Amino acid sequence: MRSRFTLLALGTVVAACATGAKFDMSTTAPRPDRRVGLRAGWMNAAEATWNLRVVAEAPKPAQFTNPSDPGDFGYLNSDLAFTGHYVIQGNFHGLQVWDIAQPGHPTLVTAYVCPDAQNDVSVYRNLLFVSGEDFNGRLDCGTQGMQDSVSKERMRGIRIFDISDIAHPKPITAVQTCRGSHTHTVVTDPNDSANIYIYVSGGAPVRSPSELAGCSDLTPDKDPNSEHFRIEVIQVPLAHPEQAHVVSKPPILADLTQPAAHGEAPEDIAAAAKAAAEARAKGGFTATVRGEEIVLGPRFVRTRLDSIVKARGGTGAPTVADSATLRTSAQSIVDAIVNPPAPGNGPRPGPLQCHDITAYPALGIAGGACAGYGVLLDIRDPAHPKRIAAVADSNFAFWHSATFNNDGTKVLFTDEWGGGLQPKCRATDRPEWGADAIFAVSKDAMTFRSYYKMPAPQTQFENCVAHNGSLIPVPGRDIMLQGWYQGGISVFDWTDAAHPKEIAYFDRGPMDSTKLVGAGSWSAYWYNGYIISSEIGRGLDILELEPSGLLSKNEIEAAKSVHVDHLNVQDQQRIVWPASFAVPRAYLDQLERSHGLAADKLAAARTELAQAERLSGQAQRDALTRLATELRGEAQAAVDEAKVRTVARSVTDLANSPVAQAN
C-alpha cells in the first residue's frame, strides 16, 4: 500500500503499450460485448476497448485520495478545462494541473487544495474560473470547513484565479452568488473583446440575505427580485478581472410548468423504502420526493436543526424537541425546495434552476439543460440571454447537459437519471431512461429525433449515467464521445439523428465487486487529437482513436488537424478545418462508405489527389484546381451530390491554401 501511494504522490503514470498495426475493420460491434463481466478493482480493474487505444492512465495525487475509501465524496474528480498543453482537472478537494505535452506521459504540475463542490473549471487566456456551492466552502480555501449556518467567510459562487504561472494559481477574487455555482459556462462575445461572461447554474438552496444581501427565496409573486427561475450572469472585464460582478439575473425559466416525469425503477423504489424504514427506526429523518421516500442527509439535517435552535433563541446542541420539530416539518421543507407550491390554483411551476448551459456564441444560441426542461436560448446579447424554445420529455428524469452539432441544426441533451451516483445502466433499466435525447433545431423550435444510451449493461455496483462529452471534429459527420461514469466512454455517430450508432468504447470493471463505490468517467473530451477523461475515483485517462470500418484513418487524421489554444467544452466554438490532404480524403472515404459516388470516379479522384500531393508549387495548385473542376462536373450525376460538392470545395481550399503555396 505504501509503495502505491508513493507512486501516486509522484504523479507516476501507467502508459499503455502501443497496439499493433492490425485494426478491427468490421462495421459491427464485437459480440459478446467486451464490457460485460469485467473484473472489479481500484487501480487494477479489467479493461475493455473497441476502436480505441489507451495512451496513458495517471493516478490521482495522494493529497486528493482517501486510501481507506477510494469513493470518498470529498475527493471526487470532476470536470476538465484545457489551455496550451495543460489539462486542469477539478476535484471536490481542489484543482489538479497536468502537463500533457507528451500524451503518453502526463505529469502533475500542481495540486491546489481548495475543498468545495464541484470545483468545475473553465479557462480564458490567463484566467481560471472555478465553481463552488458547498456549505463548507471557504473564501480562503481552508480545509477546516464552516460551522455557522450564516457566515461571511463562506464561498458560494465563482472563484477567479490568475494562471499566468500555471504551477502557482493566484486568487484574484470570488464573485458570490445567491445559489452558489454547481456548474458554470464561460461565454465569449464575438462583438465584445473587452469582456467575457459567465452563466452560473446553481443547484443549492438560496442563501440567507444575512449572508449575501439581496438573496430572496420567496416566490416571484411575493418578491419580484426572487432568485427562482433565474440564472446569474457575471461580467468579467478582461483588463480588470478583479472587478467581475453579477450583471444580470435573467428569468429564463419563468412561466414553465412542472413537466411529467417517470418514476423510479421498481427495484429502486423497494430499496429506497427499505433504507428509509431502517433510517426511521434509528431516529433518522426522511421525506418523500416524487413518490419515493428518501433519507435526508446529515448536512441537510444539521443545518435545519441549527436554524430551528436559532429560531427559538437557543444556543448549543439541538434538543429532543428540536428534532421533533424538524421531523414534523421536514416534508414541507423538502417540498419548498424540490416541489414548490403553485401560486393560486394554477399548475405547479417548472424547474427553479438550470444544471448546465452550453453556449454557441458563433451562432448566437445556447442550450440549457434545466432539470425538467431542455431550453434554447438567444445569447446574441450575452449579458441578457432569452429563452426562445423549451422541450420536456417524460422519459427524462433530470436534464443535465447539452451539445450542438457543428452547424447548430441539432442539439443533444443528457439525462442524469439517479443523480450520477446510482446504477442506471442495468439490464433491467429501460433504454430511453437515463439516455441522451437528440433534437433537430430550426430557428425557435426543437423537434425530437431519437434517444441514445450506452448499450452495454452494467452491474448494480457501477454508478452509470449519461454525463459530459464533446464533438470529435470529423468533417462531414456528427461524432461525439461521452463519459458515462462507470459505464465508461462511448463514442457514437449521430449524423443520422434518428439512428445514432456506437462506433468505439472504453470501459473498466467496477471499483468493488461487493458494493457500489463511485467512480468512472465524469467527462470525456476531445482535445487536439486525443480523448482526455476525468476518472472520478482513479485519475486522468488519455486515449486515442484507432481506424476501423466505422471511422477511417483519413477521418481521424482530418480530426487531428484541428488544433485549439484552449478549450471549455461548454463554450462551444465552431470547428474550422485547416486545408490539408486529409480533409478531402476523409470525404472520399465517406462517399465510399455510403456509395455516394461511382467506384471508378472515386478511385480516379483518390489517384489524382495522391499525384497532386507529390507535386509542388504551381504544378500542385493546377492539379488540385483540375480535380476540383472535375468533381463539380461529376456531382450532379452522383448519388450524394452535396457530399461530392463538399469534396470539390475542400480541394479548392487546398489549392488556394498556404499548404499548396509552400510546396
Side-chain angles (χ1 to χ4, degrees), residues 577-603:
W577 287 268
S580 74
F581 282 89
V583 173
R585 285 186 172 125
Y587 289 132
L588 291 172
D589 289 349
Q590 293 163 16
L591 284 167
E592 179 181 25
R593 194 179 295 122
S594 66
H595 306 290
L597 181 64
D600 60 331
K601 304 293 185 183
L602 191 67

Side-chain angles (χ1 to χ4, degrees), residues 267-291:
E267 60 264 46
D268 295 326
I269 294 174
K274 180 181 177 182
E278 292 174 350
R280 279 188 276 103
K282 296 176 181 178
F285 298 83
T286 67
T288 300
V289 177
R290 289 184 285 274

Side-chain angles (χ1 to χ4, degrees), residues 8-280:
L8 290 178
L10 293 173
T12 300
V13 172
V14 177
C17 295
T19 60
K22 186 177 180 181
F23 302 114
D24 181 359
M25 301 310 292
S26 171
T27 57
T28 59
R31 289 289 180 265
D33 196 302
R34 297 168 182 165
R35 291 167 285 189
V36 177
L38 291 172
R39 183 188 70 251
W42 181 5
M43 303 305 292
N44 62 343
E47 299 178 355
T49 61
W50 175 53
N51 298 335
L52 286 175
R53 180 178 73 89
V54 177
V55 176
E57 297 171 335
K60 290 198 293 184
Q63 58 266 53
F64 284 4
T65 305
N66 180 349
S68 63
D69 179 9
D72 188 333
F73 203 85
Y75 296 91
L76 302 184
N77 281 333
S78 58
D79 212 3
L80 303 172
F82 306 84
T83 181
H85 53 84
Y86 297 101
V87 180
I88 302 170
Q89 183 178 32
N91 180 286
F92 281 54
H93 198 61
L95 309 168
Q96 302 151 90
V97 178
W98 299 90
D99 185 335
I100 59 167
Q102 298 182 53
H105 300 279
T107 57
L108 185 67
V109 174
T110 190
Y112 187 97
V113 174
C114 188
D116 215 326
Q118 307 178 130
N119 277 331
D120 275 11
V121 291
S122 294
V123 296
Y124 189 79
R125 296 179 184 169
N126 66 319
L127 300 177
L128 169 66
F129 306 97
V130 186
S131 284
E133 68 170 1
D134 198 339
F135 289 96
N136 276 333
R138 298 180 57 89
L139 279 168
D140 61 6
C141 286
T143 60
Q144 68 270 41
M146 190 73 61
Q147 301 305 314
D148 296 334
S149 58
V150 173
S151 173
K152 297 298 183 180
E153 300 302 313
R154 180 174 284 112
M155 206 305 291
R156 292 174 64 196
I158 299 292
R159 303 179 196 268
I160 304 179
F161 294 85
D162 183 335
I163 54 170
S164 300
D165 178 359
I166 200 166
H168 302 93
K170 180 181 177 182
I172 297 175
T173 190
V175 182
Q176 301 275 22
T177 62
C178 286
R179 283 186 177 272
S181 174
H182 187 70
T183 66
H184 70 269
T185 303
V186 168
V187 183
T188 50
D189 181 358
N191 301 312
D192 181 2
S193 60
N195 300 283
I196 60 169
Y197 298 85
I198 301 175
Y199 292 173
V200 180
S201 298
V206 176
R207 298 166 85 161
S208 165
S210 299
E211 184 169 280
L212 184 62
C215 296
S216 171
D217 199 22
L218 297 173
T219 54
D221 59 313
K222 296 178 180 178
D223 184 350
N225 296 315
S226 166
E227 295 299 319
H228 293 199
F229 315 118
R230 302 176 183 273
I231 62 170
E232 292 167 294
V233 179
I234 295 172
Q235 183 184 47
V236 183
L238 294 173
H240 293 282
E242 73 281 0
Q243 298 176 10
H245 63 284
V246 175
V247 70
S248 68
K249 297 183 179 183
I252 65 171
L253 300 177
D255 305 321
L256 294 176
T257 58
Q258 187 179 75
H262 66 77
E264 291 297 322
E267 60 264 46
D268 295 326
I269 294 174
K274 180 181 177 182
E278 292 174 350
R280 279 188 276 103

Side-chain angles (χ1 to χ4, degrees), residues 390-433:
V391 289
D393 185 339
S394 62
N395 283 321
F396 259 45
F398 190 85
W399 299 68
H400 175 272
S401 56
T403 303
F404 292 97
N405 69 334
N406 195 47
D407 63 11
T409 58
K410 287 178 277 188
V411 62
L412 178 149
F413 291 100
T414 69
D415 178 12
E416 194 180 42
W417 178 34
L421 293 177
Q422 295 184 39
K424 296 300 187 181
C425 301
R426 299 159 297 190
T428 54
D429 290 325
R430 294 174 58 174
E432 64 271 28
W433 290 7

